[in-house]
Amino acid sequence: MAAVREALSGIGTGRLVVEAGCGTGRLVESLGRHGHRVLGIDKSVAMLAVAAARAPGRLVRADIARMPLPDAVADATLAVATLEFTDAAAALAELARITRPGGRIVVLALNPRSLWGLLDRPRRRIPYSTATFLTRRRLRHLGRRHGRIRLSGKLFTAARPGLLHHLERFAAALGRGVPWLGAVQVLVIDKQAGGGTCVSG
């Protein structure tokens, strides 16, 4: 995923990246191919069973809010469409705990107020109907606790084929120009010893 690779720019190859809520392991596999050491964590046995074929030996079953990893072990941590389905503050604090000072925390959060949300109406179906979506204001508030933040709106991905695919290029451009309409909100936290400041789009 281009947005993830962009957010991880500057995190050199061979560095440890932990993805919390790795699901079926697509991103673990992809980041591994790009030279990162990647560990995927998920609490779903079914998801990990699929992920095992893509990333054997690089998976751990655990809750994102209680990961069995030492403090400051990771150069970067990552959660994609995961904080919406758990206690976001606790999960982000756990990501910060295992990220070393000077490391990076990356969160991709879904935005139901985007064109994707307005057109595809995700709240009407599982799993999105059970999600607690995070506003840009909430993401900023949570992120500032752990370091210097950048927040941007990215991407448009149609969940269904048909008419929405014809709008994808236009919506992606709009999401870049008007960040709060981006289907995915990308929160990047550069972890520091103290608090941080905010630079946002």
Side-chain angles (χ1 to χ4, degrees):
M1 183 185 291
V4 172
R5 291 196 296 272
E6 180 183 337
L8 290 175
S9 64
I11 303 295
T13 57
R15 301 291 186 175
L16 177 61
V17 178
V18 175
E19 184 190 5
C22 67
T24 59
R26 290 185 185 276
L27 196 50
V28 174
E29 179 185 33
S30 174
L31 291 174
R33 285 199 309 266
H34 283 82
H36 295 290
R37 292 187 298 124
V38 191
L39 178 66
I41 295 179
D42 205 288
K43 67 179 180 180
S44 168
V45 173
M47 291 288 191
L48 290 175
V50 177
R54 294 190 172 108
R58 292 182 285 167
L59 304 167
V60 173
R61 184 176 179 232
D63 191 303
I64 183 176
R66 294 182 299 277
M67 291 184 279
L69 297 173
D71 293 354
V73 70
D75 296 287
T77 53
L78 174 65
V80 178
T82 298
L83 267 59
E84 297 89 336
F85 300 96
T86 187
D87 181 330
L92 191 53
E94 184 70 347
L95 292 173
R97 180 187 69 79
I98 68 169
T99 304
R100 64 171 176 81
R104 186 170 299 163
I105 304 160
V106 178
V107 172
L108 273 67
L110 300 172
N111 179 15
R113 297 179 181 176
S114 66
L115 287 183
W116 163 73
L118 295 173
L119 294 171
D120 207 36
R121 300 182 181 181
R123 294 181 193 270
R124 295 189 176 187
R125 65 181 187 281
I126 296 293
Y128 305 114
S129 58
T130 64
T132 300
F133 292 101
L134 302 169
T135 64
R136 287 173 63 84
R137 181 177 181 180
R138 179 67 172 156
L139 285 168
R140 286 192 191 98
H141 175 72
L142 292 175
R144 284 192 186 109
R145 299 176 181 178
H146 305 293
R148 187 175 192 272
I149 73 169
R150 302 187 303 278
L151 182 61
S152 59
K154 303 280 185 185
L155 303 179
F156 176 89
T157 302
R160 304 175 189 176
L163 175 63
L164 295 184
H165 283 297
H166 298 294
L167 298 174
E168 186 162 354
R169 184 175 298 177
F170 164 75
L174 184 60
R176 287 190 296 271
V178 189
W180 54 90
L181 288 181
V184 175
Q185 298 297 314
V186 182
L187 175 67
V188 176
I189 308 166
D190 291 317
K191 185 178 174 184
Q192 300 171 334
T197 57
C198 172
V199 178
S200 63

